[in-house]
Amino acid sequence: MNRNDFPILKELVHGRELVYLDNAATSQKPQPVMDAIVEAYSHWNSNIHRGVHHLSQVATMKHEEARKAVAAFIGAESSDEIIFTKGTTDSINALAFCLGELLVHEGDEIIVSGLEHHSNIVPWQMLCERKKAVLRHIPLRDDLSLDIEAFKGLLNDKTRLVSVAHVSNVLGTIQPVEEIIRLAHESNIPVCIDGAQSVPHMPVDVQALNCDFLVFSGHKLYGPTGIGVLYGKREWLEKLPPHEGGGEMINHVRWSGTSYNELPYKFEAGTPNYVGSWALKTAMDYMQAIGWDAMEAHEQELTAYCEQQLRAIDGIRIYAAGQRKAGVISFNVYNGKELIHPFDIGTLLDQQGVAVRTGHHCAEPLIDEIGVPGTVRVSFGLYNDRADVDAFIAALQKSIAILG
Ligand code: PMP
């Protein structure tokens, strides 16, 4: 892994070289991704799908090439199944609206899990409020894994969709989505996978998984902010009504009514983020040049090393310790029986140049279930190394000595 490709890692924070361990929130960008953005605005910026002129054709070609690259990256059957959005949150909100209009009526049920990010809870709550439907959640076992037996009991003829995270953004645990999809499909219920924390860390193949929808964000995948993906199986996307009206998503507009464009344009109203899609493709190319085997092995090794180092410190409680994880560890520090507030740990780490996340990580129901005010979360990217973990552990020990 070439850290030199990531200029921000040379930044000094409070006079120290940055140790960036907040990759689950957003990843840093390699130079080629930044170059792609500058190149786009310097050489081919133009609105797409509209003009016959040269620049517009180049920009259109780049956007569609990016769509094909995304389809290949997640193993979709066709690039028509790739909708560009602003990110995971935008994708889930779009899906909640479209699916709600098509399928959800009073008394119907949607199932999420007890460890979801707010963006896979609140859009469904809003839909349920609008349609007088009911949001259910898969409960957690004591070890914070999903209770699949309880999930089986939740599925019934009123269930319209199951939407679950592939990897928990708080715990880093990899969820049994294959089993969830299989069980839901036995009752003909579609499944949406929130891949915000999985797609950056492991190969995700939508056809192998057989999920009906997959959502993720570009900015967690070494790409820019403001671009994300909603994948949907063609048979679903054909049936769903559009969630936004405007230019590009139409076939014809008359005062008597509007006919909609074909896939995927039906779901991309207005000027799309064609610079973002091109930069996202560049990020995916960058990752593929390294290769999944190398990235996965590196992150797994680093996560195991960090968990082992943490365990050696007195008073550390790691959540979902020892379970299969994808680059995320959440923990708290106890001084005897007393919890040292995660914000205090995070603040002292920051003063030593170490960036971690503290708080509820936009997953308050899970944090309530754990019964703490928040956690300290470290999360890895492909550029992190053992020196980052060592610097973090040393800074943590110093922080505990001060606070304890
Ligand atoms: N789902 C999960 C599991 C996440 O980790 C995040 C980001 N923390 C989101 C959804 C929301 O992603 P975004 O803010 O990029 O829309």
Side-chain angles (χ1 to χ4, degrees), residues 13 17 22-23 55 73 82 86 125 144 175 198 211 253 294 297 306 310 316 372:
V13 172
E17 211 167 283
D22 193 18
N23 294 280
L55 288 189
F73 196 80
I82 305 300
K86 289 186 286 189
Q125 283 180 326
L144 303 176
Q175 302 307 315
S198 61
C211 58
V253 178
C306 186
L310 279 171
I316 297 271
V372 289

Side-chain angles (χ1 to χ4, degrees), residues 363-378:
E364 281 190 308
L366 170 58
I367 294 295
D368 286 350
E369 179 94 19
I370 297 174
V372 289
T375 74
V376 184
R377 181 186 74 184
V378 291

Side-chain angles (χ1 to χ4, degrees), residues 24-25 87-90 92 117 119 165 167 169 194 196-197 217 219-220:
T88 307
T89 305
D90 193 35
I92 297 176
H117 188 280
S119 63
V167 168
N169 69 306
D194 175 350
Q197 298 295 346
S217 301
H219 70 95
K220 295 182 199 280

Side-chain angles (χ1 to χ4, degrees), residues 193-253:
I193 300 297
D194 175 350
Q197 298 295 346
S198 61
V199 178
H201 297 285
M202 60 176 82
V204 176
D205 185 308
V206 289
Q207 289 190 78
L209 272 180
N210 197 19
C211 58
D212 301 275
F213 304 97
L214 173 79
V215 296
F216 61 96
S217 301
H219 70 95
K220 295 182 199 280
L221 198 82
Y222 312 104
T225 52
I227 188 83
V229 171
L230 165 60
Y231 156 84
K233 275 186 186 165
R234 181 189 288 277
E235 66 201 71
W236 277 110
L237 295 181
E238 298 275 13
K239 276 189 282 194
L240 293 177
H243 60 301
E244 285 177 338
E248 285 307 317
M249 52 75 72
I250 55 93
N251 186 12
H252 288 294
V253 178

